[in-house]
Amino acid sequence: MTTVEATASSTATALVEAARVLAGLGLVTAFGHVSVRNGDAVLITPPKELDLVEPGELLEIPLAVEELPSGTPPEAWGHLAVYRARPDVMAIARAQPEDVLAAGAVTDRIAPLHGQAAWLGASIPVHDDARLLRSAELAERAARTLGDSDALVLRGNGALTTGAGPGLAVTRMWLLDAACRVHLAAHGAGPVTTLSPEEITAWRAAGQPLLERLWAHLRRRAGLV
């Protein structure tokens, strides 16, 4: 494990910005992480409050590591497991939004009820194990539950979201919180109509530029621009 100098990489700057937005949106408290794939390694935020992280404090972990180096957050296993299982994933956000915790307690899968929720996957799986992902074995089980989705609810333990970059992973965490809030409200109100497979496909096809727009909005909302 090595730290990354503040001026060494625009990747480090983007990662720190994403971490600060995640904190600024109130999606984490004292806990949570953001990471990004960096060649054959992963850059991840250190075990501290995300709005206090500086680029030079980021940690670099080889993807093939068998034991976490000293000082690495134990839940780095969750990030490593997803990167190993999903070569398409370039960044991951880890947070504990309250509406996600509530939704994870009442269902095993969240179907999209509005178009933007489709940017999280055809459906959002709930991993039915509330233990912290602090071992390779537990993390690999969670990665299998994620499958090809872009978001995973961890029952009693928050969520993981993925993206083509750290900003989009954080954007999906914000969307997941909104999707869970809508899920809870709709299921409390009566019969629910989910999006059809065709509607989900159409929304996902339109997603990339719209996710970029939403990330720009969230940066402004968090006071970074």
Side-chain angles (χ1 to χ4, degrees), residues 13-77:
T13 301
L15 181 54
V16 167
E17 179 181 72
R20 291 178 179 172
V21 172
L22 192 64
L25 294 170
L27 298 175
V28 292
T29 53
F31 312 103
H33 293 285
V34 185
S35 68
V36 63
R37 189 190 296 269
N38 190 38
D40 293 330
V42 173
L43 296 183
I44 190 168
T45 51
K48 65 184 296 185
E49 294 186 44
L50 290 183
D51 57 343
L52 302 177
V53 172
E54 298 293 339
E57 297 176 309
L58 298 178
L59 307 174
E60 187 171 55
I61 310 167
L63 266 172
V65 71
E66 295 183 2
E67 292 187 10
L68 294 181
S70 176
T72 304
E75 284 215 346
W77 284 121

Short mmCIF file of all heavy atoms in Angstrom, two decimals, residues 13-77:
data_model
loop_
_atom_site.label_atom_id
_atom_site.label_comp_id
_atom_site.label_asym_id
_atom_site.label_seq_id
_atom_site.Cartn_x
_atom_site.Cartn_y
_atom_site.Cartn_z
N THR A 13 -7.49 13.66 -7.55
CA THR A 13 -8.31 14.86 -7.35
C THR A 13 -9.79 14.54 -7.54
O THR A 13 -10.64 14.97 -6.74
CB THR A 13 -7.88 15.97 -8.32
OG1 THR A 13 -6.50 16.28 -8.10
CG2 THR A 13 -8.71 17.23 -8.13
N ALA A 14 -10.10 13.78 -8.60
CA ALA A 14 -11.50 13.42 -8.85
C ALA A 14 -12.05 12.54 -7.73
O ALA A 14 -13.22 12.68 -7.34
CB ALA A 14 -11.61 12.70 -10.19
N LEU A 15 -11.22 11.66 -7.20
CA LEU A 15 -11.66 10.78 -6.13
C LEU A 15 -11.97 11.56 -4.87
O LEU A 15 -12.99 11.33 -4.21
CB LEU A 15 -10.58 9.73 -5.86
CG LEU A 15 -10.85 8.67 -4.79
CD1 LEU A 15 -12.17 7.96 -5.04
CD2 LEU A 15 -9.72 7.67 -4.73
N VAL A 16 -11.11 12.51 -4.53
CA VAL A 16 -11.34 13.32 -3.33
C VAL A 16 -12.58 14.18 -3.50
O VAL A 16 -13.39 14.33 -2.59
CB VAL A 16 -10.10 14.18 -3.03
CG1 VAL A 16 -10.43 15.26 -1.99
CG2 VAL A 16 -8.97 13.31 -2.52
N GLU A 17 -12.77 14.75 -4.69
CA GLU A 17 -13.96 15.55 -4.93
C GLU A 17 -15.22 14.71 -4.75
O GLU A 17 -16.19 15.14 -4.11
CB GLU A 17 -13.93 16.14 -6.33
CG GLU A 17 -15.16 16.97 -6.66
CD GLU A 17 -15.13 17.52 -8.06
OE1 GLU A 17 -15.29 16.74 -9.01
OE2 GLU A 17 -14.95 18.74 -8.21
N ALA A 18 -15.21 13.50 -5.30
CA ALA A 18 -16.37 12.62 -5.16
C ALA A 18 -16.64 12.31 -3.69
O ALA A 18 -17.80 12.29 -3.25
CB ALA A 18 -16.15 11.33 -5.95
N ALA A 19 -15.58 12.06 -2.93
CA ALA A 19 -15.75 11.77 -1.50
C ALA A 19 -16.38 12.95 -0.78
O ALA A 19 -17.26 12.78 0.07
CB ALA A 19 -14.39 11.43 -0.89
N ARG A 20 -15.95 14.15 -1.12
CA ARG A 20 -16.49 15.34 -0.45
C ARG A 20 -17.94 15.58 -0.82
O ARG A 20 -18.74 16.03 0.01
CB ARG A 20 -15.61 16.55 -0.78
CG ARG A 20 -14.24 16.45 -0.14
CD ARG A 20 -13.35 17.62 -0.49
NE ARG A 20 -12.05 17.50 0.17
CZ ARG A 20 -11.01 18.28 -0.05
NH1 ARG A 20 -11.12 19.26 -0.95
NH2 ARG A 20 -9.88 18.11 0.59
N VAL A 21 -18.30 15.29 -2.08
CA VAL A 21 -19.71 15.43 -2.47
C VAL A 21 -20.56 14.41 -1.73
O VAL A 21 -21.65 14.74 -1.23
CB VAL A 21 -19.86 15.27 -4.00
CG1 VAL A 21 -21.34 15.20 -4.39
CG2 VAL A 21 -19.19 16.43 -4.72
N LEU A 22 -20.08 13.18 -1.61
CA LEU A 22 -20.82 12.16 -0.88
C LEU A 22 -21.09 12.61 0.55
O LEU A 22 -22.21 12.46 1.07
CB LEU A 22 -20.02 10.85 -0.88
CG LEU A 22 -20.74 9.59 -0.42
CD1 LEU A 22 -21.90 9.23 -1.34
CD2 LEU A 22 -19.76 8.42 -0.35
N ALA A 23 -20.09 13.21 1.18
CA ALA A 23 -20.27 13.73 2.53
C ALA A 23 -21.18 14.95 2.54
O ALA A 23 -22.06 15.08 3.39
CB ALA A 23 -18.91 14.07 3.14
N GLY A 24 -20.98 15.84 1.56
CA GLY A 24 -21.77 17.06 1.51
C GLY A 24 -23.24 16.82 1.30
O GLY A 24 -24.09 17.62 1.71
N LEU A 25 -23.58 15.71 0.65
CA LEU A 25 -24.98 15.36 0.41
C LEU A 25 -25.61 14.66 1.61
O LEU A 25 -26.79 14.31 1.58
CB LEU A 25 -25.09 14.46 -0.82
CG LEU A 25 -24.73 15.12 -2.16
CD1 LEU A 25 -24.65 14.06 -3.25
CD2 LEU A 25 -25.72 16.20 -2.52
N GLY A 26 -24.83 14.42 2.65
CA GLY A 26 -25.35 13.77 3.86
C GLY A 26 -25.58 12.28 3.70
O GLY A 26 -26.35 11.69 4.46
N LEU A 27 -24.91 11.65 2.73
CA LEU A 27 -25.10 10.22 2.50
C LEU A 27 -24.17 9.37 3.34
O LEU A 27 -24.30 8.14 3.36
CB LEU A 27 -24.91 9.91 1.01
CG LEU A 27 -25.92 10.60 0.08
CD1 LEU A 27 -25.58 10.33 -1.37
CD2 LEU A 27 -27.34 10.14 0.39
N VAL A 28 -23.22 9.99 4.02
CA VAL A 28 -22.34 9.30 4.96
C VAL A 28 -22.22 10.15 6.22
O VAL A 28 -22.51 11.35 6.21
CB VAL A 28 -20.93 9.07 4.38
CG1 VAL A 28 -20.96 8.08 3.24
CG2 VAL A 28 -20.30 10.38 3.93
N THR A 29 -21.79 9.52 7.30
CA THR A 29 -21.48 10.26 8.53
C THR A 29 -19.97 10.11 8.78
O THR A 29 -19.17 10.66 8.04
CB THR A 29 -22.30 9.73 9.71
OG1 THR A 29 -22.12 8.29 9.82
CG2 THR A 29 -23.79 10.00 9.50
N ALA A 30 -19.60 9.35 9.77
CA ALA A 30 -18.18 9.12 10.03
C ALA A 30 -17.61 7.99 9.19
O ALA A 30 -16.40 7.76 9.19
CB ALA A 30 -17.97 8.80 11.52
N PHE A 31 -18.48 7.28 8.47
CA PHE A 31 -18.06 6.07 7.77
C PHE A 31 -18.41 6.16 6.29
O PHE A 31 -19.36 6.84 5.91
CB PHE A 31 -18.74 4.84 8.39
CG PHE A 31 -18.64 4.80 9.89
CD1 PHE A 31 -19.73 5.14 10.67
CD2 PHE A 31 -17.45 4.48 10.51
CE1 PHE A 31 -19.65 5.13 12.05
CE2 PHE A 31 -17.34 4.47 11.88
CZ PHE A 31 -18.45 4.80 12.66
N GLY A 32 -17.67 5.44 5.48
CA GLY A 32 -17.92 5.42 4.04
C GLY A 32 -16.61 5.55 3.29
O GLY A 32 -15.61 6.05 3.83
N HIS A 33 -16.62 5.10 2.03
CA HIS A 33 -15.42 5.14 1.22
C HIS A 33 -15.78 5.37 -0.23
O HIS A 33 -16.88 5.05 -0.68
CB HIS A 33 -14.64 3.82 1.34
CG HIS A 33 -14.07 3.58 2.69
ND1 HIS A 33 -12.95 4.24 3.15
CD2 HIS A 33 -14.45 2.78 3.71
CE1 HIS A 33 -12.68 3.85 4.38
NE2 HIS A 33 -13.58 2.95 4.75
N VAL A 34 -14.82 5.91 -0.97
CA VAL A 34 -14.90 5.98 -2.42
C VAL A 34 -13.59 5.45 -2.96
O VAL A 34 -12.53 5.69 -2.37
CB VAL A 34 -15.14 7.42 -2.92
CG1 VAL A 34 -15.34 7.43 -4.43
CG2 VAL A 34 -16.35 8.05 -2.23
N SER A 35 -13.64 4.70 -4.06
CA SER A 35 -12.42 4.15 -4.65
C SER A 35 -12.50 4.24 -6.16
O SER A 35 -13.57 4.46 -6.75
CB SER A 35 -12.22 2.69 -4.22
OG SER A 35 -13.22 1.85 -4.80
N VAL A 36 -11.34 4.06 -6.80
CA VAL A 36 -11.28 4.08 -8.25
C VAL A 36 -10.23 3.06 -8.69
O VAL A 36 -9.20 2.89 -8.05
CB VAL A 36 -10.96 5.49 -8.79
CG1 VAL A 36 -9.59 5.97 -8.33
CG2 VAL A 36 -11.08 5.56 -10.30
N ARG A 37 -10.52 2.37 -9.78
CA ARG A 37 -9.55 1.45 -10.37
C ARG A 37 -8.40 2.28 -10.95
O ARG A 37 -8.63 3.28 -11.65
CB ARG A 37 -10.22 0.61 -11.46
CG ARG A 37 -9.36 -0.54 -11.98
CD ARG A 37 -9.99 -1.16 -13.21
NE ARG A 37 -11.27 -1.79 -12.95
CZ ARG A 37 -11.42 -3.07 -12.61
NH1 ARG A 37 -10.35 -3.84 -12.46
NH2 ARG A 37 -12.63 -3.57 -12.42
N ASN A 38 -7.17 1.86 -10.70
CA ASN A 38 -5.99 2.58 -11.18
C ASN A 38 -4.99 1.56 -11.72
O ASN A 38 -4.06 1.15 -11.04
CB ASN A 38 -5.37 3.39 -10.02
CG ASN A 38 -4.29 4.34 -10.50
OD1 ASN A 38 -4.41 4.94 -11.56
ND2 ASN A 38 -3.24 4.47 -9.71
N GLY A 39 -5.22 1.13 -12.97
CA GLY A 39 -4.38 0.08 -13.55
C GLY A 39 -4.60 -1.23 -12.83
O GLY A 39 -5.73 -1.72 -12.72
N ASP A 40 -3.53 -1.81 -12.31
CA ASP A 40 -3.61 -3.06 -11.57
C ASP A 40 -3.76 -2.83 -10.07
O ASP A 40 -3.48 -3.73 -9.27
CB ASP A 40 -2.36 -3.90 -11.83
CG ASP A 40 -2.28 -4.38 -13.27
OD1 ASP A 40 -3.35 -4.58 -13.88
OD2 ASP A 40 -1.16 -4.55 -13.78
N ALA A 41 -4.22 -1.64 -9.70
CA ALA A 41 -4.38 -1.30 -8.29
C ALA A 41 -5.67 -0.53 -8.09
O ALA A 41 -6.41 -0.23 -9.05
CB ALA A 41 -3.19 -0.47 -7.80
N VAL A 42 -5.97 -0.24 -6.85
CA VAL A 42 -7.16 0.53 -6.47
C VAL A 42 -6.71 1.70 -5.59
O VAL A 42 -5.90 1.52 -4.68
CB VAL A 42 -8.15 -0.35 -5.68
CG1 VAL A 42 -9.29 0.48 -5.13
CG2 VAL A 42 -8.69 -1.47 -6.56
N LEU A 43 -7.21 2.88 -5.89
CA LEU A 43 -7.05 4.02 -4.98
C LEU A 43 -8.30 4.10 -4.13
O LEU A 43 -9.42 4.05 -4.66
CB LEU A 43 -6.87 5.33 -5.75
CG LEU A 43 -5.64 5.49 -6.63
CD1 LEU A 43 -5.63 6.88 -7.25
CD2 LEU A 43 -4.37 5.25 -5.83
N ILE A 44 -8.14 4.23 -2.82
CA ILE A 44 -9.30 4.27 -1.92
C ILE A 44 -9.06 5.32 -0.84
O ILE A 44 -7.91 5.60 -0.46
CB ILE A 44 -9.55 2.88 -1.29
CG1 ILE A 44 -10.88 2.84 -0.55
CG2 ILE A 44 -8.38 2.45 -0.41
CD1 ILE A 44 -11.32 1.44 -0.15
N THR A 45 -10.14 5.90 -0.36
CA THR A 45 -10.04 6.89 0.71
C THR A 45 -9.63 6.20 2.01
O THR A 45 -9.96 5.05 2.25
CB THR A 45 -11.38 7.60 0.90
OG1 THR A 45 -12.43 6.62 1.05
CG2 THR A 45 -11.69 8.50 -0.30
N PRO A 46 -8.91 6.92 2.87
CA PRO A 46 -8.48 6.33 4.15
C PRO A 46 -9.64 6.25 5.13
O PRO A 46 -10.72 6.83 4.88
CB PRO A 46 -7.41 7.32 4.63
CG PRO A 46 -7.85 8.63 4.05
CD PRO A 46 -8.43 8.30 2.71
N PRO A 47 -9.46 5.57 6.26
CA PRO A 47 -10.53 5.46 7.26
C PRO A 47 -10.67 6.73 8.07
O PRO A 47 -10.23 6.83 9.21
CB PRO A 47 -10.08 4.27 8.12
CG PRO A 47 -8.61 4.24 7.99
CD PRO A 47 -8.30 4.72 6.61
N LYS A 48 -11.30 7.75 7.45
CA LYS A 48 -11.59 9.01 8.13
C LYS A 48 -12.80 9.64 7.46
O LYS A 48 -13.25 9.18 6.41
CB LYS A 48 -10.38 9.96 8.07
CG LYS A 48 -10.02 10.41 6.67
CD LYS A 48 -8.76 11.28 6.65
CE LYS A 48 -8.91 12.59 7.39
NZ LYS A 48 -7.73 13.47 7.25
N GLU A 49 -13.34 10.69 8.06
CA GLU A 49 -14.51 11.34 7.49
C GLU A 49 -14.20 11.87 6.09
O GLU A 49 -13.16 12.50 5.86
CB GLU A 49 -14.97 12.48 8.41
CG GLU A 49 -15.47 11.96 9.75
CD GLU A 49 -16.05 13.07 10.61
OE1 GLU A 49 -16.81 13.90 10.07
OE2 GLU A 49 -15.75 13.10 11.81
N LEU A 50 -15.11 11.63 5.15
CA LEU A 50 -14.80 11.85 3.75
C LEU A 50 -14.61 13.32 3.40
O LEU A 50 -13.89 13.64 2.45
CB LEU A 50 -15.89 11.24 2.87
CG LEU A 50 -15.91 9.70 2.86
CD1 LEU A 50 -16.98 9.20 1.88
CD2 LEU A 50 -14.56 9.13 2.50
N ASP A 51 -15.26 14.22 4.13
CA ASP A 51 -15.08 15.63 3.80
C ASP A 51 -13.74 16.18 4.28
O ASP A 51 -13.40 17.32 4.00
CB ASP A 51 -16.24 16.47 4.35
CG ASP A 51 -16.42 16.33 5.85
OD1 ASP A 51 -15.89 15.36 6.43
OD2 ASP A 51 -17.09 17.19 6.44
N LEU A 52 -12.96 15.37 4.99
CA LEU A 52 -11.65 15.79 5.49
C LEU A 52 -10.49 15.16 4.71
O LEU A 52 -9.33 15.47 4.98
CB LEU A 52 -11.51 15.41 6.97
CG LEU A 52 -12.57 16.00 7.92
CD1 LEU A 52 -12.34 15.49 9.34
CD2 LEU A 52 -12.54 17.52 7.88
N VAL A 53 -10.80 14.31 3.74
CA VAL A 53 -9.76 13.58 3.01
C VAL A 53 -9.03 14.52 2.04
O VAL A 53 -9.65 15.32 1.34
CB VAL A 53 -10.37 12.40 2.24
CG1 VAL A 53 -9.32 11.75 1.33
CG2 VAL A 53 -10.92 11.37 3.22
N GLU A 54 -7.71 14.41 1.99
CA GLU A 54 -6.87 15.15 1.05
C GLU A 54 -6.27 14.16 0.04
O GLU A 54 -6.08 12.99 0.35
CB GLU A 54 -5.75 15.87 1.79
CG GLU A 54 -6.22 16.92 2.80
CD GLU A 54 -6.89 18.11 2.14
OE1 GLU A 54 -6.66 18.33 0.92
OE2 GLU A 54 -7.65 18.82 2.83
N PRO A 55 -5.96 14.63 -1.18
CA PRO A 55 -5.42 13.72 -2.21
C PRO A 55 -4.20 12.95 -1.76
O PRO A 55 -4.06 11.76 -2.09
CB PRO A 55 -5.09 14.67 -3.37
CG PRO A 55 -6.07 15.79 -3.22
CD PRO A 55 -6.22 15.99 -1.73
N GLY A 56 -3.31 13.56 -1.00
CA GLY A 56 -2.11 12.87 -0.56
C GLY A 56 -2.34 11.78 0.45
O GLY A 56 -1.42 11.03 0.78
N GLU A 57 -3.58 11.66 0.97
CA GLU A 57 -3.89 10.63 1.96
C GLU A 57 -4.49 9.38 1.34
O GLU A 57 -4.70 8.38 2.04
CB GLU A 57 -4.87 11.19 2.99
CG GLU A 57 -4.32 12.35 3.80
CD GLU A 57 -5.36 12.93 4.74
OE1 GLU A 57 -6.49 13.23 4.27
OE2 GLU A 57 -5.05 13.07 5.93
N LEU A 58 -4.78 9.40 0.04
CA LEU A 58 -5.39 8.24 -0.60
C LEU A 58 -4.43 7.05 -0.54
O LEU A 58 -3.21 7.21 -0.56
CB LEU A 58 -5.73 8.55 -2.06
CG LEU A 58 -6.75 9.67 -2.28
CD1 LEU A 58 -6.95 9.90 -3.77
CD2 LEU A 58 -8.07 9.34 -1.61
N LEU A 59 -5.01 5.87 -0.45
CA LEU A 59 -4.23 4.65 -0.33
C LEU A 59 -4.30 3.86 -1.63
O LEU A 59 -5.36 3.78 -2.26
CB LEU A 59 -4.77 3.80 0.82
CG LEU A 59 -4.88 4.51 2.17
CD1 LEU A 59 -5.56 3.61 3.19
CD2 LEU A 59 -3.52 4.96 2.66
N GLU A 60 -3.20 3.25 -2.02
CA GLU A 60 -3.15 2.43 -3.23
C GLU A 60 -2.94 0.98 -2.83
O GLU A 60 -2.00 0.65 -2.11
CB GLU A 60 -2.04 2.90 -4.15
CG GLU A 60 -2.04 2.19 -5.50
CD GLU A 60 -1.06 2.82 -6.47
OE1 GLU A 60 0.14 2.94 -6.10
OE2 GLU A 60 -1.48 3.20 -7.58
N ILE A 61 -3.83 0.12 -3.31
CA ILE A 61 -3.80 -1.30 -2.96
C ILE A 61 -3.76 -2.12 -4.24
O ILE A 61 -4.61 -1.94 -5.12
CB ILE A 61 -5.06 -1.71 -2.17
CG1 ILE A 61 -5.31 -0.76 -1.00
CG2 ILE A 61 -4.95 -3.15 -1.67
CD1 ILE A 61 -6.68 -0.93 -0.38
N PRO A 62 -2.81 -3.04 -4.40
CA PRO A 62 -2.80 -3.90 -5.58
C PRO A 62 -4.09 -4.74 -5.65
O PRO A 62 -4.55 -5.26 -4.64
CB PRO A 62 -1.58 -4.78 -5.37
CG PRO A 62 -0.71 -4.02 -4.42
CD PRO A 62 -1.65 -3.28 -3.52
N LEU A 63 -4.63 -4.86 -6.86
CA LEU A 63 -5.86 -5.64 -7.02
C LEU A 63 -5.67 -7.10 -6.61
O LEU A 63 -6.61 -7.74 -6.14
CB LEU A 63 -6.32 -5.58 -8.48
CG LEU A 63 -7.33 -4.49 -8.85
CD1 LEU A 63 -7.53 -4.46 -10.35
CD2 LEU A 63 -8.65 -4.72 -8.14
N ALA A 64 -4.48 -7.62 -6.78
CA ALA A 64 -4.23 -9.04 -6.52
C ALA A 64 -3.80 -9.31 -5.08
O ALA A 64 -3.41 -10.44 -4.76
CB ALA A 64 -3.18 -9.57 -7.48
N VAL A 65 -3.87 -8.33 -4.21
CA VAL A 65 -3.39 -8.50 -2.84
C VAL A 65 -4.15 -9.63 -2.13
O VAL A 65 -5.34 -9.82 -2.36
CB VAL A 65 -3.52 -7.18 -2.05
CG1 VAL A 65 -4.99 -6.86 -1.75
CG2 VAL A 65 -2.71 -7.20 -0.79
N GLU A 66 -3.44 -10.39 -1.32
CA GLU A 66 -4.07 -11.48 -0.56
C GLU A 66 -4.30 -11.10 0.89
O GLU A 66 -5.14 -11.72 1.56
CB GLU A 66 -3.20 -12.74 -0.64
CG GLU A 66 -3.10 -13.30 -2.05
CD GLU A 66 -2.31 -14.59 -2.11
OE1 GLU A 66 -1.86 -15.06 -1.04
OE2 GLU A 66 -2.14 -15.13 -3.21
N GLU A 67 -3.57 -10.12 1.39
CA GLU A 67 -3.78 -9.58 2.74
C GLU A 67 -3.73 -8.07 2.64
O GLU A 67 -2.89 -7.51 1.93
CB GLU A 67 -2.71 -10.09 3.71
CG GLU A 67 -2.78 -11.57 4.01
CD GLU A 67 -1.80 -11.98 5.10
OE1 GLU A 67 -1.22 -11.07 5.74
OE2 GLU A 67 -1.62 -13.19 5.30
N LEU A 68 -4.64 -7.41 3.36
CA LEU A 68 -4.65 -5.94 3.34
C LEU A 68 -3.46 -5.41 4.13
O LEU A 68 -3.22 -5.82 5.26
CB LEU A 68 -5.95 -5.40 3.94
CG LEU A 68 -7.23 -5.69 3.16
CD1 LEU A 68 -8.41 -5.06 3.88
CD2 LEU A 68 -7.14 -5.17 1.73
N PRO A 69 -2.72 -4.46 3.55
CA PRO A 69 -1.61 -3.86 4.28
C PRO A 69 -2.10 -3.08 5.49
O PRO A 69 -3.26 -2.66 5.57
CB PRO A 69 -0.97 -2.92 3.25
CG PRO A 69 -1.47 -3.40 1.92
CD PRO A 69 -2.83 -3.96 2.18
N SER A 70 -1.23 -2.90 6.45
CA SER A 70 -1.55 -2.14 7.65
C SER A 70 -2.01 -0.73 7.28
O SER A 70 -1.43 -0.08 6.40
CB SER A 70 -0.32 -2.05 8.56
OG SER A 70 -0.57 -1.25 9.68
N GLY A 71 -3.06 -0.27 7.94
CA GLY A 71 -3.59 1.07 7.70
C GLY A 71 -4.68 1.13 6.65
O GLY A 71 -5.32 2.16 6.49
N THR A 72 -4.89 0.02 5.94
CA THR A 72 -5.95 -0.02 4.93
C THR A 72 -7.30 -0.22 5.61
O THR A 72 -7.41 -1.04 6.52
CB THR A 72 -5.71 -1.19 3.96
OG1 THR A 72 -4.41 -1.08 3.40
CG2 THR A 72 -6.75 -1.19 2.85
N PRO A 73 -8.35 0.50 5.19
CA PRO A 73 -9.67 0.23 5.78
C PRO A 73 -10.09 -1.20 5.51
O PRO A 73 -10.00 -1.68 4.37
CB PRO A 73 -10.58 1.23 5.05
CG PRO A 73 -9.84 1.64 3.83
CD PRO A 73 -8.40 1.55 4.16
N PRO A 74 -10.54 -1.94 6.53
CA PRO A 74 -10.89 -3.35 6.33
C PRO A 74 -11.93 -3.59 5.25
O PRO A 74 -11.90 -4.61 4.57
CB PRO A 74 -11.42 -3.78 7.71
CG PRO A 74 -10.75 -2.85 8.68
CD PRO A 74 -10.65 -1.53 7.95
N GLU A 75 -12.84 -2.62 5.05
CA GLU A 75 -13.87 -2.82 4.03
C GLU A 75 -13.35 -2.59 2.62
O GLU A 75 -14.12 -2.64 1.66
CB GLU A 75 -15.09 -1.96 4.32
CG GLU A 75 -15.94 -2.53 5.44
CD GLU A 75 -17.42 -2.30 5.21
OE1 GLU A 75 -17.78 -1.50 4.35
OE2 GLU A 75 -18.22 -2.95 5.91
N ALA A 76 -12.04 -2.38 2.48
CA ALA A 76 -11.45 -2.38 1.13
C ALA A 76 -11.70 -3.70 0.44
O ALA A 76 -11.72 -3.78 -0.79
CB ALA A 76 -9.96 -2.09 1.21
N TRP A 77 -11.91 -4.78 1.23
CA TRP A 77 -12.22 -6.08 0.62
C TRP A 77 -13.46 -5.99 -0.27
O TRP A 77 -13.51 -6.63 -1.32
CB TRP A 77 -12.44 -7.13 1.70
CG TRP A 77 -11.20 -7.64 2.34
CD1 TRP A 77 -10.87 -7.59 3.67
CD2 TRP A 77 -10.09 -8.29 1.69
NE1 TRP A 77 -9.64 -8.16 3.89
CE2 TRP A 77 -9.14 -8.60 2.69
CE3 TRP A 77 -9.83 -8.64 0.36
CZ2 TRP A 77 -7.93 -9.24 2.40
CZ3 TRP A 77 -8.63 -9.28 0.06
CH2 TRP A 77 -7.70 -9.58 1.07
#
